[in-house]
């Protein structure tokens, strides 16, 4: 985890292999998509926000009392992305 939290690069995290090999071996992690089941539960308050995880991806998130109740990937926060997110959530 040093390559995420500190100055250690991906090549050092790959135990003697190249950074490219490390990215190839861990690429599956980015394809994991957890599923949130619709419960029909009502909420008195919902916090929504968009967080940027890289320069190319934004994650729209809805929270209720600190628990994620819905999320959606988009390229940036924009009206269409928020509209689609609200209709789905």
């Amino acid at each position: 985890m040093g390559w995420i939290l500190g100055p250690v690069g991906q090549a050092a995290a790959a135990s003697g292999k190249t950074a490219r090999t490390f990215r190839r071996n861990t690429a599956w992690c980015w394809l994991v998509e957890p599923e949130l089941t619709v419960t029909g539960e009502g909420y008195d308050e919902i916090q929504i926000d968009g967080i940027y995880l890289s320069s190319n991806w934004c994650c729209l998130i809805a929270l209720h009392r600190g628990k994620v109740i819905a999320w959606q990937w988009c390229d940036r926060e924009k009206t269409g992305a928020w509209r689609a997110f609200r209709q789905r959530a």
Side-chain angles (χ1 to χ4, degrees):
M1 293 300 288
W3 64 275
I4 292 177
L5 303 174
V8 178
Q10 289 179 346
S15 301
K17 298 177 183 166
T18 66
R20 182 175 295 201
T21 299
F22 175 76
R23 288 191 298 273
R24 185 176 53 246
N25 290 341
T26 58
W28 67 270
C29 297
W30 298 106
L31 301 176
V32 175
E33 291 190 29
E35 293 184 23
L36 299 172
T37 56
V38 177
T39 63
E41 186 175 352
Y43 304 103
D44 56 343
E45 178 183 303
I46 297 175
Q47 296 174 327
I48 58 172
D49 196 8
I51 60 169
Y52 288 86
L53 301 174
S54 73
S55 60
N56 300 325
W57 289 102
C58 175
C59 186
L60 306 178
I61 302 174
L63 299 160
H64 174 68
R65 297 185 179 165
K67 180 182 174 190
V68 175
I69 58 174
W71 60 274
Q72 175 177 302
W73 288 109
C74 61
D75 59 346
R76 62 186 171 90
E77 291 183 81
K78 54 189 172 191
T79 304
W82 280 112
R83 185 176 294 124
F85 179 67
R86 283 193 346 254
Q87 288 174 349
R88 207 182 114 249

